[in-house]
Amino acid sequence: MPLLTSHTAGESHGPGLITLIQGLPAGVELDEGFINAELRRRQGGYGRGGRQRIETDRAEFLSGVRQGVTIGSPVAIRIANKDSRLDDPAKTPPVYRPRPGHADLAGSVKWLTTDCRATLERASARETAARTAAGAVARCLLRVFGIEVFGFVRSIHAAAWEGDVPADNWRPLLAARDASEVYCPDERASAGMIEAIRAAKVDKDTVGGLVEAHVFNCPVGLGSCVDWRDKLDARLAFAVMGIQAFKSVEIGLGKQCAERRGSEVHDPIAFDRSREETPALGFVRSRNNAGGLEGGMTNGAPIVVRGAMKPISTLLQGMPSVNLNTKEPERSDYERSDVCAVSAASVVMENVVAFEIAAAMREKFGGDSILEMKQNYDRFLETARMLPLEPPDQSKTIA
Ligand code: EPS
């Protein structure tokens, strides 16, 4: 079982959401201001519905923390739902006409009912608040190692930003992203995205998009090629695909790899002595098509993950469906929802990715306290910088 795990519980209109994180070392300073700012950011973005005007998501720490610092025991977090009404049948009526694209149909059959309500309550993207909290906690651990994650919106519907994220100068993009109503670092592209959402709203429709996360300063060697379950790219894909409404995940160049020759895909390796002290140990690449992962392990370049979110399946105009009680054709039910939640999804993905990186860090460097973990990390990099540890035996070199 992985060292660092997180579990969530809670329905969209139940009393609240719960996150349980196990495997954090003692001594991690939890920055509640940062964690709550991430929760707030997840609530935002142009195109959200009425729910976010009701809620003020805040993480309440129930265990595992003393005076803002972890003590090594499980960390439980509660996020209260103000719009709690699950036990009131008048306020949460049964849903008999499943929305195409939602969990409604498959879930109601699975749990042997014609009322999709119970299914949709847990399938709702409200749950992503709990996962965002877990990721934001993980980022408090990653900070100790200088690891940072930057997530943003790459496209919404047909409006896209084609710019690059320079590994050595990405901070200006962070400020630009935070100034954008759709969390895209480019003003012109943001305007196009807002227009796409506005037009969809007018047509009682919804739109999806692409979100991207870049992770900086990972040491070389996180993850493993020994077992497929330990491959970090596979684990990132699993975690990102598990976000509500995500339909594809790519690492680096992603599916474009299939259209290019090897010489155009693989990133040439060079060594820059002036960067030997960095977590990449001086190994540099002129490009990063691999998205920082080779053989399921970090190679020192930034990790680049992209996810595609489908348009939200709750359409104000409805979609062709059937009434599960009569099997007669009817249009799907409407629940209060969002026209577009891609901006929120970028925050969720950023934090979900951070959690997986933190889990890989825990596996490589262990330790019961953050001090011990950091010492293990420092010693590993120190030793790796000393390679080759023994003088190479040139007679055994294959010609
Ligand atoms: C969400 C809360 C939900 C939806 C959305 C995400 O609120 P409500 O259903 O009460 O309006 O806005 O959920 C979905 C997109 C979905 O598919 O269920 C949230 O807090 O992010």
Side-chain angles (χ1 to χ4, degrees), residues 26-324:
V28 179
E29 283 179 36
L30 297 186
D31 181 346
E32 283 194 41
F34 167 74
I35 295 162
N36 287 322
E38 284 301 277
L39 291 178
R40 217 166 23 251
R41 220 157 61 74
R42 192 208 69 88
Q43 289 197 269
Y46 186 84
R48 304 304 302 279
R51 178 75 183 268
Q52 305 313 329
R53 285 192 288 277
I54 302 170
E55 304 295 345
T56 320
D57 292 346
R58 279 192 69 80
E60 184 193 342
F61 288 87
L62 305 178
S63 71
V65 186
R66 182 169 173 251
Q67 290 158 15
V69 180
T70 60
I71 55 172
S73 55
V75 171
I77 301 168
R78 178 176 183 266
I79 300 169
N81 282 335
K82 285 189 186 154
D83 193 11
S84 168
R85 50 184 155 95
L86 199 53
D87 284 333
D88 184 343
K91 289 186 180 157
T92 43
V95 173
Y96 297 125
R97 291 165 296 208
R99 293 159 293 176
H102 214 288
D104 299 353
L105 174 64
S108 60
V109 173
K110 178 177 171 67
W111 283 290
L112 297 176
T113 169
T114 56
D115 178 6
C116 310
R117 170 63 58 189
T119 299
L120 71 88
E121 282 290 332
R122 181 62 184 156
S124 167
R126 176 95 192 117
E127 186 264 352
T128 60
R131 252 184 298 170
T132 299
V137 165
R139 287 166 82 175
C140 296
L141 177 142
L142 293 179
R143 266 185 200 176
V144 175
F145 304 90
I147 298 173
E148 292 181 280
V149 192
F150 170 54
F152 63 92
V153 171
R154 180 57 86 180
S155 70
I156 291 179
H157 197 50
W161 175 53
E162 306 290 354
D164 291 329
V165 178
D168 47 4
N169 190 28
W170 59 275
R171 275 178 214 287
L173 295 179
L174 183 72
R177 176 204 73 185
D178 289 342
S180 160
E181 269 190 278
V182 281
Y183 305 171
C184 167
D186 185 77
E187 221 175 297
R188 263 184 64 155
S190 294
M193 293 175 191
I194 289 168
E195 179 49 32
I197 298 168
R198 205 195 53 77
K201 187 174 183 184
V202 169
D203 295 340
K204 300 189 165 98
D205 217 325
T206 57
V207 278
L210 290 175
V211 294
E212 212 167 285
H214 292 234
V215 189
F216 303 102
N217 279 329
C218 282
V220 184
L222 296 182
S224 179
C225 58
V226 168
D227 187 278
W228 61 267
R229 290 173 196 83
D230 294 332
K231 292 187 176 203
L232 188 52
D233 43 8
R235 288 167 64 169
L236 285 167
F238 186 28
V240 171
M241 200 63 150
I243 303 170
Q244 285 77 342
F246 274 55
K247 285 305 234 186
S248 81
V249 188
E250 290 186 317
I251 307 280
L253 198 57
K255 70 176 177 7
Q256 283 186 52
C257 286
E259 299 155 13
R260 298 191 193 181
R261 288 184 164 183
S263 58
E264 298 164 323
V265 168
H266 305 303
D267 309 324
I269 303 172
F271 189 73
D272 178 351
R273 206 162 285 285
S274 72
R275 294 184 179 222
E276 218 175 341
E277 293 305 311
T278 70
L281 303 163
F283 295 105
V284 290
R285 308 296 179 109
S286 50
R287 60 187 180 214
N288 187 18
N289 288 339
L293 289 153
E294 289 170 316
M297 294 171 287
T298 49
N299 63 10
I303 295 177
V304 181
V305 188
R306 200 174 311 105
M309 184 193 200
K310 68 187 179 187
I312 282 179
S313 47
T314 312
L315 272 60
L316 198 50
Q317 58 173 288
M319 288 270 291
S321 184
V322 293
N323 185 316
L324 293 181

Side-chain angles (χ1 to χ4, degrees), residues 323-336:
N323 185 316
L324 293 181
N325 289 325
T326 63
K327 309 275 164 67
E328 292 299 322
E330 280 180 48
R331 285 191 86 75
S332 55
D333 273 312
Y334 179 72
E335 283 267 313
R336 179 190 60 205

Side-chain angles (χ1 to χ4, degrees), residues 349-361:
M349 191 173 93
E350 177 173 334
N351 285 292
V352 157
V353 163
F355 192 89
E356 291 308 311
I357 303 300
M361 286 286 288

